[in-house]
Amino acid sequence: MLTLGIESSCDETAAAVVDDTGLVHSDVIRSQVALHAPYGGIVPELASRDHVKGITLVIREALSRAGKRFDDLGGVAVTARPGLSGALLVGVQVAKGIAWARDLPIVGVDHLVGHLLAVFLRSPAAAEAPAYPFVALLASGGHTAIYRVDAPNLGDIHELGATRDDAAGEAFDKVAKIVGLGYPGGPLVDRLAAKGRADRFPIPAPMARRDSLEFSFSGVKSFVARHVAEHGKPTSEEALADLCAGFQRTVVDSLVTKTVRAARAEGVRSVVLAGGVAANRELRQTAAEACAQVGLSLSVPPMASCTDNAAMIAYAGALRLARGERDDLSFGTATRTALLRVTRKGGGPRAGAR
Ligand code: KG4
Ligand code: ZN
């Protein structure tokens, strides 16, 4: 059965056709990077308006590249949460229109579940899919958490620890801005860091307590901000690369150490990386080495399936549709995930989180 996936939660307008085995028939993404770049970050109202402009084009293109028509579809899946309200509404309304007009079943998908299942997408570049249960690190622009995933359903995905403040991708974007690079910062810092020496500006590890699975990235970002306030923005390419390398090393080490710790504590054999930050080359490399050292198998989606896309939404929806689940046309959007959170934002004592 073929599912049309639609994604418009943030700054990508995307549509894809995927079947319930995860085989990707088409995967089309219209990025808004150029639109938001002059502002150094995402402007929500501009994002919504651009989704309106692009969404039918993207859906037509996804069907055409798959060589399919609306009549060939078995259902529609759309990101319903979490994300920017206005942006989410565009995708959800269009998806409902298609479902109503074509009498197709529809499901709203949690964007984070989409990211966590992206590793099951089947395309020529795909890695071997993991076996359940696995521990996943989901690190994106809005979320950073470690999950235990026993099955693809919402109720079978449990947060083990998350960030108390900034998401990892948010830290990459903010640091890029502080040192004078553009938006989005992740790929730019990644490229520069590869040329730099991480030991020239060593940044202390955050939340390094032995048993903690929580993250904190705002202190790492502040370290870079203080350095720039005291010494000015790096003027040579070499100093800029070294600063990026120092920042990236600390973030990557924190993400990898805690993910491996979680996998060992949970007794699972497989680890998965997901979300935009999983496109980071040092993260992929360091995670591969750390997992190999302790006999864990690591599965990482191809880079294009880590960052926002509609194929992961189509697949997460296809599994629900295949189980006979349907949402009625009155379902709404939400800015927060439906996954239960154990980590509270901010400081102070906490119960339940490890
Ligand atoms: O998953 P995603 O595309 O969107 C959200 O759901 O947030 O993640 C976007 C985030 C941005 O913060 C971006 O800077 C970061 O992922 N990112 C990276 C890399 N590519 C994207 N961070 C580090 N290294 C990269 N190569
Ligand atoms: Zn995302």
Side-chain angles (χ1 to χ4, degrees):
M1 186 194 75
L2 293 174
T3 298
L4 172 67
I6 298 174
E7 154 68 38
S8 70
S9 66
C10 195
D11 61 344
E12 268 96 20
T13 319
V17 177
V18 175
D19 69 22
D20 53 355
T21 70
L23 187 66
V24 179
H25 293 251
S26 67
D27 185 6
V28 178
I29 299 172
R30 182 179 188 265
S31 165
Q32 298 182 353
V33 163
L35 176 70
H36 300 291
Y39 306 93
I42 297 163
V43 183
E45 183 56 27
L46 290 183
S48 313
R49 291 179 194 192
D50 199 64
H51 285 311
V52 171
K53 264 198 223 157
I55 197 141
T56 45
L57 294 170
V58 163
I59 292 170
R60 281 211 188 100
E61 183 67 20
L63 286 170
S64 140
R65 283 195 206 168
K68 304 292 176 193
R69 300 145 49 93
F70 282 119
D71 291 341
D72 299 317
L73 298 174
V76 183
V78 60
T79 305
R81 65 196 301 173
L84 303 167
S85 289
L88 285 167
L89 276 172
V90 176
V92 167
Q93 289 307 114
V94 168
K96 285 179 179 177
I98 293 170
W100 180 76
R102 298 281 166 167
D103 198 21
L104 287 167
I106 183 171
V107 287
V109 171
D110 192 293
H111 181 86
L112 302 192
V113 175
H115 272 304
L116 289 169
L117 301 182
V119 71
F120 293 102
L121 291 173
R122 293 199 292 130
S123 66
E128 198 170 324
Y132 290 102
F134 57 83
V135 157
L137 168 69
L138 168 45
S140 70
H143 300 269
T144 294
I146 301 172
Y147 295 94
R148 179 189 167 101
V149 183
D150 287 288
N153 321 317
L154 262 174
D156 295 313
I157 301 174
H158 298 281
E159 183 194 298
L160 303 171
T163 180
R164 289 191 181 194
D165 41 57
D166 292 352
E170 190 179 354
F172 269 95
D173 295 337
K174 286 178 176 170
V175 160
K177 211 167 172 176
I178 292 167
V179 301
L181 299 170
Y183 146 90
L188 298 168
V189 172
D190 183 342
R191 218 170 305 139
L192 271 168
K195 297 187 234 158
R197 273 184 36 206
D199 54 1
R200 179 159 164 208
F201 301 110
I203 304 179
M207 306 282 295
R209 239 181 54 229
R210 184 82 213 119
D211 58 344
S212 165
L213 295 178
E214 295 182 344
F215 299 107
S216 167
F217 297 112
S218 77
V220 184
K221 167 202 69 194
S222 303
F223 187 99
V224 176
R226 268 200 308 280
H227 177 87
V228 168
E230 280 166 26
H231 306 278
K233 286 180 190 169
T235 45
S236 73
E237 168 101 1
E238 190 189 349
L240 182 60
D242 291 346
L243 191 56
C244 286
F247 161 77
Q248 184 172 284
R249 172 70 55 84
T250 299
V251 172
V252 163
D253 280 350
S254 173
L255 293 171
V256 171
T257 306
K258 296 191 179 208
T259 303
V260 169
R261 184 181 301 160
R264 301 190 81 186
E266 293 296 319
V268 300
R269 293 223 216 105
S270 305
V271 171
V272 165
L273 301 185
V277 180
N280 185 272
R281 289 168 299 167
E282 186 176 351
L283 175 61
R284 298 164 84 96
Q285 177 72 27
T286 308
E289 287 161 10
C291 286
Q293 238 171 40
V294 293
L296 288 164
S297 86
L298 177 72
S299 304
V300 192
M303 291 197 191
S305 307
C306 291
T307 46
D308 283 350
N309 64 85
M312 66 186 193
I313 303 301
Y315 177 64
L319 293 184
R320 287 192 55 202
L321 290 165
R323 289 198 296 268
E325 293 178 31
R326 277 111 182 75
D327 287 329
D328 71 43
L329 285 175
S330 63
F331 76 88
T333 61
T335 55
R336 292 176 168 244
T337 176
L339 290 171
L340 280 184
R341 289 196 277 198
V342 298
T343 302
R344 280 192 296 112
K345 286 213 163 186
R350 46 230 327 124
R354 274 174 284 179

